[in-house]
Amino acid sequence: MEKYIDIIKNSYSGYFNYLKNELISINHWDNYFYGLIIISLVVWGLEIAFPWRKNQSIFRKDFWLDTFYMFFNFFLLNLIVLIALSNTAAAFFDDILGAFNLSIFSFQLFDVDNLPRALGLFIFFLVSDFMQWNTHRLLHRVPMFWNFHKVHHSVKEMGFAAHLRYHWMEPVLYKSMLYIPLAIIGGFDAQDVAIVHFFAITIGHLNHANLGWDYGVLKYVFNNPKMHIWHHVKELPEGVTYGINYGITLSIWDYIFKTNHIPYDGRDIELGFEGDENFPKDFISQEIYPINKNTSK
């Protein structure tokens, strides 16, 4: 137990120092803090220059709430919960494997160091995105998880900052599932991960932005605003129980597994979910809603 307590302490101090360095040091291209700000400003600028819903305010409904979510979930949440949790879980997992004379490397199918860098990174990106697509499906299909995911689907007007409006439990699930590709594929350095990370953030921001883009033929490969807005539709299509268009960065999984649905231009469709008029409107109440909802059953 003392080992895990030390891991938690070191995780907090290590991440705090990392975050402080991110705020002060701007001389490295893979700075996550300023990278997020730059991507957000660029996509917001595109929304202002090329608005799809022209009557939607630049400071749309819940703009500031979503902006707070964006920075809280992206940085403070890691400091408060995720870093310590993920590091402790990783150590616990390693200890269990060690009891059977195994390690995480025992499950690796190959090491990307043995492949051309671009190919290894591409494989990692594909596997990671597919795992996240499956995790997203679970968030809709498992009632307990859906109560957490409602926070994201409570958005009533789409804008770039809605991308990172989610309950803190969601990244716990996503990060847990991402252990699978990390166990299968090894050998990445921090800058490799940063490349995938910034690309995914950009696509995610664009998916939620007030933009009427679908990228032409590339819509069958990349998720896009015209596709993702249907994921947020309040009234699901007839015969659909859980959801549609689950794509994170890539749309190909939805086309492969027949979960794609874009019946017509969705610019003015109503967003949300059944009963969202009773969903809390402030940050604290939204964070505790799933706990109250799950314990009340």
Side-chain angles (χ1 to χ4, degrees):
M1 181 59 69
E2 184 176 347
K3 170 186 174 180
Y4 299 116
I5 293 175
D6 288 339
I7 290 173
I8 293 173
K9 289 179 180 177
N10 292 333
S11 297
Y12 278 126
S13 60
Y15 185 75
F16 178 79
N17 290 331
Y18 157 78
L19 187 57
K20 182 172 65 174
N21 180 67
E22 289 287 279
L23 294 172
I24 297 172
S25 175
I26 60 174
N27 60 349
H28 56 108
W29 70 266
D30 55 340
N31 185 304
Y32 287 139
F33 183 81
Y34 293 106
L36 175 64
I37 292 176
I38 291 171
I39 291 170
S40 298
L41 289 176
V42 169
V43 177
W44 191 26
L46 291 173
E47 282 190 351
I48 295 171
F50 309 103
W52 191 21
R53 294 170 294 279
K54 299 186 186 301
N55 61 339
Q56 181 172 302
S57 171
I58 294 174
F59 297 99
R60 61 177 174 78
K61 181 180 176 63
D62 289 343
F63 176 89
W64 296 113
L65 175 63
D66 289 349
T67 300
F68 175 78
Y69 262 110
M70 186 167 67
F71 284 96
F72 175 83
N73 283 335
F74 209 74
F75 296 104
L76 294 180
L77 179 59
N78 275 331
L79 180 62
I80 297 169
V81 179
L82 293 182
I83 293 296
L85 179 63
S86 61
N87 287 348
T88 305
F92 182 70
F93 184 59
D94 286 342
D95 287 344
I96 293 177
L97 291 176
F100 297 94
N101 294 319
L102 298 171
S103 72
I104 194 170
F105 301 106
S106 305
F107 299 94
Q108 284 187 7
L109 298 180
F110 57 87
D111 192 314
V112 294
D113 286 337
N114 299 324
L115 298 174
R117 184 181 182 189
L119 177 59
L121 197 58
F122 177 67
I123 293 173
F124 173 74
F125 168 67
L126 281 181
V127 175
S128 298
D129 194 74
F130 181 62
M131 293 307 304
Q132 291 183 85
W133 180 83
N134 276 291
T135 304
H136 195 184
R137 289 181 67 234
L138 286 177
L139 289 172
H140 282 261
R141 297 181 70 89
V142 179
M144 181 178 69
F145 294 166
W146 169 238
N147 283 329
F148 291 111
H149 196 46
K150 281 180 180 178
V151 172
H152 183 65
H153 279 267
S154 63
V155 173
K156 300 300 289 184
E157 290 185 342
M158 289 285 268
F160 75 94
H163 174 208
L164 298 178
R165 173 176 177 166
Y166 52 75
H167 193 276
W168 64 268
M169 270 299 296
E170 284 200 28
V172 173
L173 294 171
Y174 277 110
K175 286 179 180 290
S176 298
M177 293 293 283
L178 277 174
Y179 276 119
I180 297 174
L182 290 175
I184 295 173
I185 311 169
F188 294 100
D189 59 34
Q191 289 193 336
D192 289 331
V193 175
I195 294 171
V196 174
H197 168 82
F198 283 133
F199 181 68
I201 288 294
T202 301
I203 295 296
H205 269 32
L206 289 170
N207 290 341
H208 293 82
N210 182 17
L211 296 168
W213 298 354
D214 64 9
Y215 315 139
V217 69
L218 291 178
K219 66 184 179 183
Y220 299 110
V221 179
F222 295 109
N223 199 3
N224 55 81
K226 280 192 170 181
M227 182 176 193
H228 192 68
I229 197 168
W230 281 100
H231 176 71
H232 284 261
V233 67
K234 181 168 184 175
E235 186 176 347
L236 290 173
E238 185 177 354
V240 174
T241 303
Y242 300 109
I244 50 176
N245 302 349
Y246 297 109
I248 304 298
T249 301
L250 299 177
S251 62
I252 54 175
W253 314 122
D254 286 306
Y255 287 106
I256 291 173
F257 295 101
K258 309 300 182 184
T259 52
N260 60 296
H261 182 80
I262 312 173
Y264 57 86
D265 189 320
R267 185 189 66 181
D268 299 317
I269 60 176
E270 184 179 3
L271 310 181
F273 54 87
E274 184 179 354
D276 62 4
E277 62 275 4
N278 299 316
F279 193 78
K281 303 299 188 287
D282 63 279
F283 173 76
I284 297 298
S285 298
Q286 288 180 355
E287 290 295 291
I288 64 176
Y289 168 85
I291 300 173
N292 293 335
K293 188 71 174 176
N294 290 328
T295 56
S296 65
K297 292 183 176 181

